[in-house]
Amino acid sequence: MKFVLLWSDILFFLLIAAVVAGGAWASRVEHLRLAWRQVGQSRVGMATATVLIAFVLVAMLDSLHYRERLPGTQGEHLLGAQENYAVEVRSALDAVLTELRTRTEKTYSAPLATHLFAKESLDADLGRDFPRLKHGGAHLGEDLTAHDHDIAAKAIKGLGLGLLGALAFGLASLPLRRAAPHLAWNAQLATVLVLCLLAGVIVALAGDYHVLGTDKVGQDVLYLTLKSVRTALLIGTLTTLIMLPAAVVLGLLAGYAGGWIDDVIQYLYTTLNSIPGVLLIAASVLMMQVVIDTHPEWFATAAERADARLLALCAILGITSWTGLCRLLRGEALKLRELEYVQAARALGVSGARILWRHILPNVMHIVMIAIVMDFSGLVLAEAVLSYVGIGVDPNTISFGAMINTARMELAREPMVWWSLAAAFAFMFVLVLAANLFADVMRDAFDPRVVKR
């Protein structure tokens, strides 16, 4: 096995490390610690944070990449020949979901089905009928009378496994709950219980059935959905990481300095806002694709090529999405620079850079933090729309938008193939809803204009 480190993996883990370091720093600052305590005391905050952490854990597993070593002959091993590795790059999530990844069918099959979704010509005697799946329900043999009973029994078994998992989590987190009894642990435990019950049922059923069905080429939809989580999180987080420095620096500089600096920055983001966003993104993505296609020697594997396009899309979305936060910070800086403590710092000869760093930036961080979380959900939806129109991620990259784009042509057929679209919509809905609700809790905790209860 040879570990592969993609650029998106590096940036994603650096971002997680930065969040952990920021949390450690915030715990030593009194007003930030009180604000985060208010987030923890909120039932909605703890529940949505638990859901978001579950998504992050899936994305972290999918960000540990490797290439499998190809088996060599005994003679090559004795001669000490160079080891060869597979071209395909896989992740730890692929290893965990090996059964889902390898158990492919011929084409569409409905969730928990035992036959294909469309009729086919079997032979001269039987005519046209629904063929049996190779893997879905294969353990039942030819007798399908126990199909419903088998699903119910496995679901009950999965509920039991999920309950045991939730109890294990509750016992493991007991010292933490005793150390911070003021937090809304009941909401977190209830959310963990629901997640464990759902995961237990899915695990119990996924061993013998396709829980969410299969797509046009027979791939398990549950596997595709879980693989799409990493793409959604990368688009939401890395794009924010790219646009944040420009938005903060230019916004504060325009509001504090004023004059011709303010005019230039205003002209810059006004001009950028006047260009239709989809057209600008489409033109930029197509230009980047030309660069990637003309330099195949830059990429050793297809995964590195797809990763380059993903990072390019993040950069393009970041360049086109910083203007809103910049405008907000400019307006806030215009107000703060007229306050008495800023005027006193000026009169004492404090430099402008120090005033921005020590007096203005800390007072706009609540806007920055709220904008980060709220922009995240918008960027996740933007990826789905861009992939739907064909200018999103690489075709080899699994994403919610790619799943929706693949499923859209099947919505017009009769009977309709609905499960691919429904699975992508459900996971994306839960992710975006959790991010938006968490953003509301953060706004109430960090915005000084909101009356604290």
Side-chain angles (χ1 to χ4, degrees):
M1 181 187 298
K2 178 181 180 181
F3 287 100
V4 177
L5 202 58
L6 302 176
W7 280 107
S8 59
D9 300 336
I10 297 173
L11 294 176
F12 184 59
F13 284 112
L14 283 177
L15 186 60
I16 293 175
V19 170
V20 173
W25 170 74
S27 65
R28 297 194 297 268
V29 180
E30 181 65 22
H31 67 280
L32 293 179
R33 183 170 65 251
L34 293 176
W36 279 113
R37 177 179 294 180
Q38 183 178 345
V39 173
Q41 291 172 344
S42 168
R43 293 186 179 90
V44 176
M46 289 293 282
T48 53
T50 304
V51 174
L52 292 175
I53 290 173
F55 278 104
V56 170
L57 291 177
V58 173
M60 290 177 65
L61 279 177
D62 204 17
S63 298
L64 300 172
H65 290 98
Y66 66 93
R67 293 166 62 184
E68 293 183 342
R69 185 170 62 88
L70 296 175
T73 62
Q74 186 176 3
E76 291 178 347
H77 178 71
L78 293 176
L79 293 174
Q82 182 179 3
E83 294 183 343
N84 296 319
Y85 296 92
V87 177
E88 183 181 5
V89 177
R90 293 175 181 168
S91 67
L93 185 64
D94 291 324
V96 174
L97 305 177
T98 299
E99 288 192 3
L100 297 182
R101 177 173 55 85
T102 56
R103 294 188 305 129
T104 58
E105 306 292 348
K106 186 176 181 180
T107 184
Y108 291 113
S109 66
L112 302 175
T114 58
H115 292 75
L116 289 178
F117 191 65
K119 288 185 176 181
E120 294 183 359
S121 298
L122 300 179
D123 53 42
D125 296 331
L126 297 176
R128 291 176 58 82
D129 200 357
F130 298 99
R132 279 294 301 272
L133 297 177
K134 292 188 298 182
H135 304 285
H139 66 290
L140 298 175
E142 297 299 327
D143 183 15
L144 299 181
T145 57
H147 179 224
D148 294 338
H149 180 269
D150 183 65
I151 292 177
K154 290 183 181 298
I156 294 173
K157 179 182 176 182
L159 290 175
L161 292 174
L163 184 59
L164 290 177
L167 289 175
F169 177 84
L171 292 175
S173 61
L174 187 59
L176 189 60
R177 286 185 282 130
R178 288 177 175 174
H182 54 278
L183 301 183
W185 294 110
N186 292 336
Q188 187 202 43
L189 292 176
T191 307
V192 170
L193 176 62
V194 173
L195 293 177
C196 288
L197 292 177
L198 289 174
V201 172
I202 291 173
V203 170
L205 291 172
D208 295 308
Y209 296 97
H210 299 289
V211 180
L212 298 180
T214 56
D215 65 355
K216 188 174 183 179
V217 296
Q219 287 185 297
D220 193 280
V221 174
L222 176 60
Y223 168 74
L224 297 176
T225 307
L226 292 174
K227 290 285 289 183
S228 301
V229 171
R230 175 181 181 268
T231 305
L233 288 180
L234 284 177
I235 292 289
T237 55
L238 295 187
T239 301
T240 304
L241 184 66
I242 292 171
M243 69 92 173
L244 193 60
V248 173
V249 171
L250 295 180
L252 294 183
L253 191 61
Y256 179 77
W260 66 270
I261 297 178
D262 186 21
D263 294 337
V264 169
I265 295 174
Q266 282 193 78
Y267 179 80
L268 180 62
Y269 67 64
T270 303
T271 303
L272 194 59
N273 280 336
S274 65
I275 304 174
V278 175
L279 294 180
L280 180 60
I281 294 171
S284 303
V285 168
L286 292 176
M287 286 190 297
M288 286 301 303
Q289 188 60 41
V290 170
V291 174
I292 293 173
D293 291 340
T294 53
H295 297 86
E297 69 278 2
W298 291 355
F299 314 105
T301 61
E304 294 181 4
R305 175 190 176 96
D307 188 66
R309 176 160 174 173
L310 177 62
L311 292 179
L313 180 62
C314 292
I316 294 165
L317 288 173
I319 292 172
T320 57
S321 62
W322 62 271
T323 56
L325 179 58
C326 180
R327 185 184 290 110
L328 287 175
L329 295 179
R330 173 186 174 273
E332 195 70 12
L334 284 172
K335 180 184 70 175
L336 292 174
R337 72 176 186 179
E338 303 300 330
L339 296 181
E340 289 81 359
Y341 64 89
V342 177
Q343 297 290 342
R346 280 182 177 176
L348 292 173
V350 180
S351 65
R354 188 169 180 82
I355 291 175
L356 285 171
W357 178 256
R358 293 296 302 271
H359 299 293
I360 294 183
L361 180 61
N363 286 283
V364 299
M365 283 306 296
H366 66 280
I367 298 177
V368 174
M369 298 180 70
I370 295 167
I372 287 174
V373 182
M374 297 195 69
D375 287 346
F376 169 82
S377 57
L379 292 168
V380 172
L381 297 176
E383 182 276 325
V385 174
L386 294 174
S387 296
Y388 176 78
V389 299
I391 56 174
V393 296
D394 189 86
N396 293 324
T397 302
I398 303 173
S399 69
F400 292 127
M403 290 180 64
I404 295 172
N405 185 38
T406 304
R408 66 186 174 94
M409 297 302 296
E410 306 301 328
L411 297 178
R413 63 180 289 171
E414 182 63 34
M416 182 176 65
V417 178
W418 52 268
W419 47 88
S420 293
L421 179 64
F425 172 80
F427 273 71
M428 191 164 54
F429 172 77
V430 172
L431 176 59
V432 172
L433 179 64
N436 285 340
L437 292 177
F438 190 71
D440 290 341
V441 175
M442 287 187 60
R443 180 199 61 198
D444 295 340
F446 285 90
D447 193 345
R449 291 169 296 184
V450 176
V451 178
K452 302 296 189 297
R453 294 188 294 270

